[in-house]
Amino acid sequence: LRWVTAEQVAILEYKSQLSAMNSARKWLKKNLDAGFLIERSISGLGRAFVLSKAAVDFMESEGVFDIRSGKDWGKFVNGAWMPTQTWRHEYIANLFASIMLSRGYEIITEYEIRRANPKIKKIPDLLVNYYSVKLKKIVWHSVEVEQYRKSSKHMQAMVASLYSVARGASKLKGLDG
């Protein structure tokens, strides 16, 4: 996830606690004070947090290399920070991913899919998988956050890419590399 809110941290880390939001806010403040997070304010949403370069350096020293800083997310206009135009879309995808992760599902984000498969033109926002006891196999779901500008042509291209992977014509690399 490129950025998170207190709500998403509460879902991911403190779902079983009655005071999940308070715990999430304390965790965010502690990591903000330590220099591991950068706080951004999004009009209409509130506070959002991204990883700093210090957090990425720390994670890499711990052997986690598949991580990136969010310091370049958004842009500054006349000294004021502005989120990307896709922040609402990202918020919905992040929220859904947080809920699925908190329930034990594995997710692969659009960023991870795109990085591992640069030639695939249209990809979903998320891939979600889990082991189905009923079917006795791993089940994959493609998740696309709908946008009013998403044309039929683009949706067809994404389905064609997924179909290519499903029939083995393309290799989909994700969390396992």
Side-chain angles (χ1 to χ4, degrees):
L1 308 177
R2 186 192 295 197
W3 56 276
V4 296
T5 62
E7 174 186 31
Q8 293 160 354
V9 171
I11 291 168
L12 284 168
E13 295 297 323
Y14 303 102
K15 62 185 177 284
S16 63
Q17 294 182 18
L18 292 175
S19 60
M21 283 299 288
N22 287 338
S23 296
R25 286 185 185 112
K26 287 178 186 175
W27 183 89
L28 288 165
K29 181 175 180 354
K30 174 182 155 193
N31 284 283
L32 190 62
D33 291 347
F36 291 136
L37 296 175
I38 301 168
E39 182 178 353
R40 301 290 191 216
S41 179
I42 300 177
S43 179
L45 178 69
R47 298 165 55 189
F49 301 87
V50 297
L51 290 177
S52 69
K53 174 83 168 76
V56 172
D57 292 344
F58 173 76
M59 295 298 288
E60 287 178 349
S61 74
E62 296 292 313
V64 178
F65 297 100
D66 190 20
I67 194 164
R68 63 182 173 155
S69 169
K71 67 180 180 58
D72 295 327
W73 177 61
K75 63 183 176 182
F76 284 90
V77 177
N78 298 325
W81 181 83
M82 303 292 293
T84 62
Q85 291 183 348
T86 59
W87 76 264
R88 285 179 185 88
H89 177 270
E90 293 170 355
Y91 172 74
I92 295 167
N94 287 356
L95 184 58
F96 185 80
S98 299
I99 292 167
M100 293 294 98
L101 285 167
S102 75
R103 294 181 177 177
Y105 291 76
E106 178 183 20
I107 65 158
I108 302 175
T109 65
E110 178 181 7
Y111 168 76
E112 292 169 306
I113 300 166
R114 187 172 309 285
R115 192 186 70 243
N117 302 276
K119 293 182 182 180
I120 295 179
K121 293 184 181 179
K122 294 291 177 186
I123 56 174
D125 295 315
L126 299 167
L127 289 175
V128 179
N129 83 6
Y130 64 96
Y131 181 79
S132 170
V133 175
K134 183 177 180 180
L135 298 174
K136 296 182 181 171
K137 66 178 182 178
I138 293 177
V139 177
W140 285 90
H141 292 283
S142 167
V143 177
E144 180 63 27
V145 175
E146 290 296 327
Q147 290 184 305
Y148 64 92
R149 295 184 305 228
K150 188 97 37 164
S151 72
S152 173
K153 177 178 107 180
H154 292 114
M155 292 298 267
Q156 289 175 0
M158 184 176 57
V159 170
S161 294
L162 288 170
Y163 177 73
S164 176
V165 171
R167 66 184 168 88
S170 294
K171 296 281 188 208
L172 181 64
K173 298 176 191 168
L175 297 176
D176 297 328

